[in-house]
Each structure stands twice: as structure tokens, then as C-alpha cells.
Amino acid sequence: YGIGIDENQADLKTKIDNILTEKATEIDAIKEKYMNGEEDKYVGITSGTKDGSKADKQLVVATNAEFAPWEYKEGNQYFGIDMEIAKLIADELGLELVIDDMEFDAVVGAVGKQNVDIAMSGITITTERMGVINFSTPYYTESIVCVVKADNTELDSAGTVVDMLNVICNK
């Protein structure tokens, strides 16, 4: 996953990439606690109110708070890996965090418009999306694994996920 960043804010991309590098240990700890279900350690984030007249003092993040453990909402607070990382970034930048919760299909398109600076919503970096926004360096890499018995060689020639699915689905 990567953070979608307004293409007109190259300096912001550089700053975010630096924060992701410098705060990697803290970010890993955020991911770990959610992946391990350590609910007593979750931090609720209260969003500021978006104010166009304070755009230089706010970091506005577009998200869809319906993808736990990455982002979700309980009452008036936001939780999740992305929300805690967004708060960390805002704090490091000395900005107030404003969370703009919207439909997932609108998240990427909102960046650079409607005073939205970044998008964080479990966003996979794709070529299509890179045509619309800049991406930070990835802060999470997902992988797919398939477990088989040691003597099973049916998937040995599968070089891609599609190859693997073809073997599995054509049994």
C-alpha cells in the first residue's frame, strides 16, 4: 500500500517519504498491534474540521473508514493502521490532521481537489492510479501464499497468481 499524494505537492511527497523512512520502527509497531489484535493499544483519532482558509496548517486525508484494520470509525473517532500513520505524519509535519471520510471510489480522485492533500485507505499502488496521483514509497507489502503438502508439485510451474488459480480452479 502507498499514500496517494497530490501531484502538485512534490515537496509533500518528499517529506512523507522521509517520515516513512525515519519513523519505520514506529510504523511497524502500529501495523503489528492491529495485526495482532492488541485492542488496548489502539489509538482513537479525532479529526479536525476542514477549513480552506487554514489549508497550509492542515493535512487533509481522504479515506473510506470501512476497511478495518486499516481504517474504521467508532463514534466520532477514527481507528486503524492508516489513521494512526496519518496522525504520525501530520504531527511530524506540524499540521492538524483532518480526515475526509468518503466512498472508496472517490478517494483517489479527491486528492488535489476539495482541499485534499493525501489519500490513505489501504490503497494498492497501480499504474492506473499512478496516472492520477503520486505515491509515497510503499509502507505495506502484501503477498499471497498457497500451502500444499510437501510432495505436491502441481503448482511448481505457476509463475503468477493467474497461473496458480488456473491450476486450482481446473482440478
Side-chain angles (χ1 to χ4, degrees), residues 74-115:
E74 290 183 4
N76 67 345
Q77 291 194 310
Y78 292 88
F79 292 85
I81 298 166
D82 283 345
M83 297 299 92
E84 288 197 36
I85 294 172
K87 177 69 171 140
L88 174 72
I89 291 169
D91 289 349
E92 287 294 311
L93 295 172
L95 301 172
E96 175 187 27
L97 178 63
V98 175
I99 300 167
D100 195 348
D101 189 13
M102 59 187 67
E103 292 295 318
F104 183 77
D105 290 342
V107 170
V108 170
V111 176
K113 301 172 187 79
Q114 308 162 27
N115 296 323

Side-chain angles (χ1 to χ4, degrees), residues 68-160:
W70 296 95
E71 49 272 320
Y72 62 98
K73 190 172 182 181
E74 290 183 4
N76 67 345
Q77 291 194 310
Y78 292 88
F79 292 85
I81 298 166
D82 283 345
M83 297 299 92
E84 288 197 36
I85 294 172
K87 177 69 171 140
L88 174 72
I89 291 169
D91 289 349
E92 287 294 311
L93 295 172
L95 301 172
E96 175 187 27
L97 178 63
V98 175
I99 300 167
D100 195 348
D101 189 13
M102 59 187 67
E103 292 295 318
F104 183 77
D105 290 342
V107 170
V108 170
V111 176
K113 301 172 187 79
Q114 308 162 27
N115 296 323
V116 172
D117 301 301
I118 66 173
M120 291 186 76
S121 197
I123 300 173
T124 304
I125 301 170
T126 66
T127 304
E128 180 181 349
R129 291 177 179 150
M130 287 190 295
V132 179
I133 56 176
N134 284 332
F135 275 98
S136 68
T137 53
Y139 61 94
Y140 178 76
T141 303
E142 196 170 75
S143 59
I144 298 173
V145 297
C146 184
V147 179
V148 297
K149 291 182 179 181
D151 63 346
N152 184 325
T153 60
E154 291 177 282
L155 296 174
D156 287 358
S157 64
T160 67

Side-chain angles (χ1 to χ4, degrees), residues 31-68:
K31 291 184 285 191
E32 276 297 306
K33 71 181 173 185
Y34 281 93
M35 295 299 181
N36 292 330
E38 300 170 25
E39 294 182 25
D40 59 317
K41 295 181 182 176
Y42 296 177
V43 176
I45 311 291
T46 302
S47 174
T49 302
K50 190 176 357 178
D51 182 345
S53 69
K54 297 191 317 185
D56 61 334
K57 295 177 176 56
Q58 295 183 324
L59 179 69
V60 180
V61 57
T63 195
N64 176 251
E66 297 182 21
F67 188 49

